Amino acid sequence: MGQGLRKQRLLEDHVATDAAAGKSTSVRELFSWFSFDIMGDFVFGSSFNMLQNRQSHSVILRLREALSLLGPLTPLPWLVHFGFNTAGSLPLIKNWFAMIAWCRGQMENRAKHIQEDFNLEPDVSYWLIEEARNNGFTETDWNWLSEDTVLAIVAGSDTVTSTLVGLFYRLASDPTRTEKLHAEIAAVDCSDDTILQELSNLNGIVNEALRLHPAVPTGGYRKTPKEGAVICGRFVPGETTTIAPRYTIFRREDCFEQADSFIPERWCERPEMVKCNKAFRPFSTGILYWMGPTLR
């Protein structure tokens, strides 16, 4: 059984235990532990064991506190750099540097294990470390390794958590749809990814959850080229910060029929309800396309 299935069973066990005891379950907390544990395995080849211990890892708590700065300060990146360089003693900023130091330690240990055991199964850190090794492990390489590690963990955990919360909220709101999904899944081997990809109802529900509950509602910030760009017939000057907010685009009636309604059938039985396929890009596009959907 793969690590993902083991953690899935552990998550189910926690819910069942709470139900037997007549307790409510904080699924957001469970989903968060689940996704961070999965990314720990994926990035480091080692889990945070948050789901098993039913509590957040200390370094993840530090990470969350440090990331609280990014929300209000993302539109002002120069201020972030200024603060990090001049106010390193502030608790939030100290938490960030502590997280970076922890990630560096993990990558150093991983590099040592890779050198000692050539039979280790390659993970994300393996390929990042190989690139740094080819460069001679300079200090710049270690800085990139540490920060790329933080990026990979956050990008693959918080996004999964929020998506799962939105998806299960929709299922909990519609028992009939939940029963239909359960019947579809019960008839196949859930450990086979290739089979799951062919389940129209399952994939329709996932796509619709991604549409109505995008993990990154703003879609991220972009900057126009120096020469400027023409967007929707209007010239935008060079080096202007722009946003294509997914939350807004995914709910446009000229792109999706009954855009505010949860209708998974639009992705399988009723494709005419998707008026503009280009409008649905939950994992971004181009060179910034997130690799998650292609992983097996």
Side-chain angles (χ1 to χ4, degrees):
M1 186 190 300
Q3 290 294 334
L5 279 177
R6 288 192 182 94
K7 289 176 173 56
Q8 174 193 320
R9 300 286 168 77
L10 187 56
L11 189 153
E12 293 171 355
D13 288 344
H14 286 325
V15 174
T17 299
D18 287 347
K23 295 168 53 180
S24 60
T25 301
S26 172
V27 291
R28 177 170 183 80
E29 204 167 46
L30 286 182
F31 290 156
S32 177
W33 296 337
F34 172 80
S35 57
F36 271 106
D37 282 352
I38 290 291
M39 289 309 297
D41 283 326
F42 180 61
V43 177
F44 299 125
S46 176
S47 173
F48 290 103
N49 291 323
M50 292 162 63
L51 197 57
Q52 179 177 327
N53 300 326
R54 291 203 75 162
Q55 65 179 17
S56 296
H57 192 288
S58 59
V59 77
I60 299 302
L61 293 175
R62 284 184 168 184
L63 173 64
R64 289 199 178 285
E65 291 181 5
L67 289 178
S68 66
L69 284 171
L70 296 187
L73 296 182
T74 293
L76 301 170
W78 61 268
L79 185 56
V80 175
H81 287 286
F82 178 79
F84 274 44
N85 290 325
T86 61
S89 61
L90 292 178
L92 288 179
I93 296 178
K94 287 175 67 176
N95 284 332
W96 173 260
F97 287 121
M99 176 67 186
I100 294 294
W102 183 86
C103 285
R104 175 163 180 162
Q106 293 295 308
M107 296 301 272
E108 289 174 346
N109 289 336
R110 189 65 174 156
K112 179 181 178 181
H113 291 155
I114 290 173
Q115 190 169 4
E116 295 173 350
D117 184 358
F118 292 102
N119 294 319
L120 283 175
E121 184 177 350
D123 50 24
V124 170
S125 62
Y126 177 92
W127 300 111
L128 293 175
I129 288 169
E130 282 300 291
E131 178 69 19
R133 191 192 306 280
N134 293 336
N135 293 333
F137 281 130
T138 66
E139 185 62 23
T140 298
D141 289 325
W142 284 115
N143 289 337
W144 276 108
L145 282 172
S146 303
E147 292 172 12
D148 280 347
T149 301
V150 174
L151 174 62
I153 292 172
V154 174
S157 53
D158 278 343
T159 52
V160 171
T161 299
S162 61
T163 300
L164 286 175
V165 169
L167 189 153
F168 277 86
Y169 160 74
R170 295 292 175 172
L171 290 177
S173 303
D174 190 344
T176 301
R177 189 175 296 283
T178 304
E179 291 171 4
K180 179 181 177 182
L181 175 61
H182 183 269
E184 182 182 52
I185 294 175
V188 302
D189 178 7
C190 290
S191 64
D192 189 334
D193 291 342
T194 59
I195 293 178
L196 294 179
Q197 292 174 51
E198 301 300 322
L199 301 183
S200 59
N201 187 39
L202 170 63
N203 286 283
I205 287 173
V206 171
N207 280 340
E208 194 70 342
L210 287 169
R211 186 182 71 84
L212 288 177
H213 306 282
V216 185
T218 60
Y221 292 85
R222 301 291 181 266
K223 185 178 288 187
T224 56
K226 291 183 178 180
E227 64 274 16
V230 177
I231 302 175
C232 295
R234 177 175 297 181
F235 177 75
V236 180
E239 299 190 345
T240 299
T241 299
T242 62
I243 298 176
R246 291 176 191 150
Y247 183 91
T248 304
I249 294 172
F250 291 175
R251 291 171 180 256
R252 288 177 60 109
E253 279 293 332
D254 58 349
C255 296
F256 304 97
E257 187 177 331
Q258 299 181 50
D260 287 327
S261 299
F262 185 77
I263 308 175
E265 289 76 15
R266 75 174 78 243
W267 304 106
C268 46
E269 302 165 17
R270 302 181 61 188
E272 72 279 0
M273 296 190 72
V274 179
K275 301 176 182 178
C276 179
N277 277 306
K278 291 182 179 180
F280 186 64
R281 293 291 183 269
F283 300 101
S284 193
T285 187
I287 62 172
L288 297 174
Y289 180 77
W290 170 237
M291 65 179 180
T294 64
L295 298 175
R296 302 288 181 265

